[in-house]
Amino acid sequence: MITGKNYIGNQLSATANRTFKTFNPLLNIENDWNITEASNSEVNQAADLAAEAFKTYSKISGATKATFLREIANEIEALGDDLLEVYSSESGLPNGRAMGERGRTLGQLRAFANHVEEGNWVEASIDTAEPDREPLPKVDLRKMNIALGPVVVFGASNFPLAFSTAGGDTAAALAAGCPVIVKSHPMHAGTGEMVASAVIKAAEKTGMPNGVFSNLNSSGIEVGQTLVQHPKVKAVGFTGSIKGGRALYDLAAKRDEPIPVFAEMGSINPVVLLPKALHNRAEAIAKTYAGSITLGSGQFCTNPGLIIGIKSQGLTNFVNNLAEDIVKIEPSCMLHPNIAGAYQTNKKNALAQSGLQVLAGYEDSVEPNYARQVVTTVEGDTFLNNPTLHHEVFGPFSLVVQCENKAQLETIISKLEGQLTGTIISDDNEISEYPNVVNALQNRVGRIIFNGVPTGVEVCPSMQHGGPYPASTDSRFTAVGVDSIKRWVRPFSYQDWPNELLPDELKNENPLGISRLVNSVKTTANI
Ligand code: NAP
């Protein structure tokens, strides 16, 4: 069932002789299938095919792209339980999570299908000519969003479906009219191949040009680096670590023709606990956060890695309860030995910092690839003076910072790096006494949460998933929701162009019936 080959457009290909295996972290053994690394010539072929496909794919209608995207969803669904089994053997994640993530992936593909079928996303804007305008005549100008070109997508290991092969980045780029080359994540390359086969089947069934999609395997970073530097690649989508995202961003910037890299990276998602909330319900908040910190073994980009409060009896109660609750939770398996190893190293490094106190104590050891959750606490001054404590420890790890007063709380928030989310836990109107805290947090994050937890990312148009650097490389865009299509387009204007040669979106007759800005008025009317 899994061939281990690359998809170079519609063709399975394995010309190199270097192979690798994926790993089952629960069983602590390698999976059976061999995966073949993509060769340099396969990388070039995929890029050439994508550039060729772009010529036609970028011009096809929204309705046809919608048919393609819906067919991808259907084909992924048709893979049935086989896909879920491979997903679990390559990630250690349970069947329920696999089903949930598949549902999210299908939902994303179908949402993009609806989005491009409806068509308003091109943001058509028309300013008609005024030949008699004084002192100078005005030209006819018509603008809309058009596709950028071939896009390379790197998926993260912690979402083998929803942020991977046919995940959000791929769905958004295909919806925009960009061919996609996936650099498959080596830790779930079998899952990646199965999903790629579904995309290819859908492309063939719906008559898409060969090269609209390719899937390349690699266990190292060379294939990804070559792709990012390839002259025919015009944009990059990355979900993963700050180290990886930044390396690719720098590589793209050094090209003769620099290209955008939309990298969604790590975050510690600060949670601010206000005093009255802690006074009234420290115990309940601690219970909720013990669950959020350990959810999915802490392997979420929205994991609450930093909790900040002002010293009080309420904060002490919270810290004590969190310590008690967190040790009751069973340790869980991480995605693969590398992530489990990185967790141990980063945790050890954090725990070695002076002034850090560990709140949870364990005596027994854990199974291979399992992670023991840890909560720690530190004084506000110590946190402010030690940048190492500001870094993500990817896994079930959280740090509680105990501030001296409100002013220190504000200072700490304003000194944080950019984050995906920020959360405020408040009693009734308590938050209104903290306008500076709210402002400081808004300046550091992409999404602010009131009395909740940061884990859990709803896929819908109003979701912002991205924030100031290093949460993402461009905080103006989201990686989740239909607005993420905006990363893969550029605005383009036609001046005095004959009506019959204009794309349908800009023709006088408005044959698609889309909403357009005509002479500064939003309308679906003809011109
Ligand atoms: P990762 O180690 O950065 O890997 C992601 C992908 O990038 C892999 O295919 C990897 O290839 C490649 N890569 C890494 N460094 C590279 C380099 N220097 N040059 C070229 N390619 C490189 O991340 P991960 O372990 O899969 O995911 C965990 C991280 O993702 C966490 O930090 C988490 O917070 C973040 N994350 C963020 C979001 C978000 O939306 N913001 C969502 C999920 C996860 P190799 O494996 O071959 O090295």
Side-chain angles (χ1 to χ4, degrees):
M1 160 136 292
I2 295 167
T3 68
K5 294 183 180 179
N6 305 280
Y7 271 103
I8 310 300
N10 296 349
Q11 293 303 311
L12 277 168
S13 172
T15 57
N17 47 20
R18 275 180 34 217
T19 61
F20 63 96
K21 282 179 180 284
T22 58
F23 198 84
N24 185 323
L26 272 174
L27 303 180
N28 200 29
I29 52 167
E30 286 185 329
N31 287 305
D32 289 340
W33 41 92
N34 284 311
I35 307 289
T36 308
E37 300 258 353
S39 65
N40 256 340
S41 85
E42 284 167 327
V43 171
N44 287 330
Q45 283 170 43
D48 289 345
L49 275 178
E52 202 47 42
F54 179 67
K55 292 177 188 163
T56 47
Y57 186 65
S58 57
K59 298 283 186 302
I60 67 170
S61 70
T64 311
K65 283 186 288 189
T67 311
F68 175 35
L69 291 165
R70 289 193 185 107
E71 197 53 37
I72 297 175
N74 296 343
E75 290 293 342
I76 293 174
E77 228 168 359
L79 292 168
D81 288 348
D82 290 352
L83 176 66
L84 305 182
E85 277 161 28
V86 173
Y87 170 106
S88 292
S89 3
E90 292 190 325
S91 65
L93 295 168
N95 187 261
R97 161 74 194 266
M99 285 173 68
E101 202 182 316
R102 181 180 60 181
R104 175 173 168 167
T105 309
L106 304 180
Q108 287 173 168
L109 286 159
R110 289 170 180 148
F112 276 110
N114 296 341
H115 197 51
V116 291
E117 194 169 52
E118 181 225 28
N120 292 335
W121 72 276
V122 299
E123 295 175 355
S125 171
I126 299 173
D127 288 280
T128 52
E130 290 175 39
D132 302 329
R133 190 181 69 173
E134 293 292 344
L136 287 172
K138 182 180 164 200
V139 293
D140 181 286
L141 275 166
R142 302 183 182 216
K143 184 165 82 167
M144 65 180 273
N145 291 327
I146 63 165
L148 270 181
V151 169
V152 166
V153 170
F154 294 76
S157 56
N158 58 343
F159 281 92
L161 293 173
F163 275 101
S164 196
T165 320
D169 285 353
T170 297
L174 291 176
C178 300
V180 169
I181 304 169
V182 170
K183 190 288 194 177
S184 185
H185 199 291
M187 298 302 167
H188 54 251
T191 310
E193 184 193 323
M194 290 180 81
V195 173
S197 74
V199 180
I200 294 298
K201 263 193 197 162
E204 286 176 333
K205 270 192 183 171
T206 56
M208 295 300 125
N210 186 18
V212 71
F213 182 84
S214 289
N215 184 57
L216 302 177
N217 297 316
S218 158
S219 62
I221 59 175
E222 300 77 17
V223 166
Q225 289 174 329
T226 311
L227 280 167
V228 170
Q229 294 175 96
H230 201 289
K232 291 187 175 167
V233 168
K234 298 300 174 200
V236 177
F238 174 91
T239 307
S241 61
I242 294 175
K243 190 166 150 252
R246 182 60 199 244
L248 296 174
Y249 181 86
D250 289 344
L251 214 52
K254 283 194 201 124
R255 290 171 41 132
D256 286 345
E257 179 200 357
I259 54 169
V261 174
F262 297 100
E264 299 301 325
M265 303 175 285
S267 188
I268 53 172
N269 304 294
V271 177
V272 179
L273 306 174
L274 296 183
K276 284 185 197 155
L278 282 178
H279 175 77
N280 292 335
R281 49 193 173 93
E283 204 176 315
I285 300 167
K287 201 175 221 47
T288 305
Y289 269 86
S292 179
I293 293 164
T294 52
L295 189 73
S297 218
Q299 298 168 115
F300 288 118
C301 47
T302 49
N303 191 56
L306 182 68
I307 299 173
I308 320 168
I310 301 170
K311 281 182 185 169
S312 67
Q313 187 54 48
L315 185 60
T316 305
N317 292 346
F318 168 81
V319 162
N320 291 341
N321 278 291
L322 184 61
E324 269 177 36
D325 289 338
I326 206 116
V327 292
K328 289 183 201 150
I329 296 172
E330 287 296 318
S332 50
C333 187
M334 295 197 82
L335 291 156
H336 53 78
N338 296 359
I339 283 217
Y343 176 60
Q344 294 307 337
T345 308
N346 295 334
K347 190 172 77 174
K348 207 168 151 198
N349 184 30
L351 297 182
Q353 303 305 308
S354 81
L356 206 75
Q357 188 195 335
V358 180
L359 293 174
Y362 307 95
E363 280 159 19
D364 52 332
S365 57
V366 291
E367 298 285 315
N369 309 317
Y370 276 60
R372 189 59 105 180
Q373 55 271 22
V374 172
V375 280
T376 55
T377 188
V378 75
E379 299 274 328
D381 275 341
T382 313
F383 181 78
L384 271 175
N385 294 322
N386 187 347
T388 303
L389 297 176
H390 298 222
H391 295 157
E392 180 186 45
V393 177
F394 192 62
F397 180 94
S398 196
L399 171 63
V400 182
V401 178
Q402 306 204 28
C403 304
E404 290 304 324
N405 48 39
K406 202 171 177 178
Q408 190 176 54
L409 175 63
E410 276 169 40
T411 309
I412 285 179
I413 295 171
S414 63
K415 298 258 158 95
L416 291 175
E417 293 185 320
Q419 307 288 338
L420 288 170
T421 73
T423 303
I424 297 198
I425 304 292
S426 153
D427 223 32
D428 295 334
N429 294 328
E430 188 182 12
I431 194 169
S432 58
E433 296 162 33
Y434 292 83
N436 294 344
V437 166
V438 176
N439 273 344
L441 197 57
Q442 187 167 23
N443 283 331
R444 301 285 71 217
V445 308
R447 172 166 61 107
I448 199 161
I449 298 148
F450 184 72
N451 277 345
V453 290
T455 37
V457 178
E458 184 68 37
V459 183
C460 65
S462 309
M463 173 53 70
Q464 174 59 26
H465 193 68
Y469 184 87
S472 46
T473 45
D474 195 333
S475 61
R476 293 169 299 169
F477 297 91
T478 177
V480 171
V482 285
D483 268 355
S484 63
I485 198 172
K486 292 180 181 166
R487 295 171 300 166
W488 314 123
V489 296
R490 63 190 174 97
F492 185 86
S493 287
Y494 293 88
Q495 183 171 326
D496 286 335
W497 211 246
N499 187 52
E500 64 280 12
L501 297 183
L502 285 167
D504 284 352
E505 287 86 348
L506 298 177
K507 285 194 168 100
N508 288 339
E509 304 78 9
N510 193 13
L512 301 175
I514 61 173
S515 175
R516 312 187 290 187
L517 196 67
V518 178
N519 296 323
S520 302
V521 177
K522 265 262 181 255
T523 174
T524 53
N526 301 350
I527 292 167

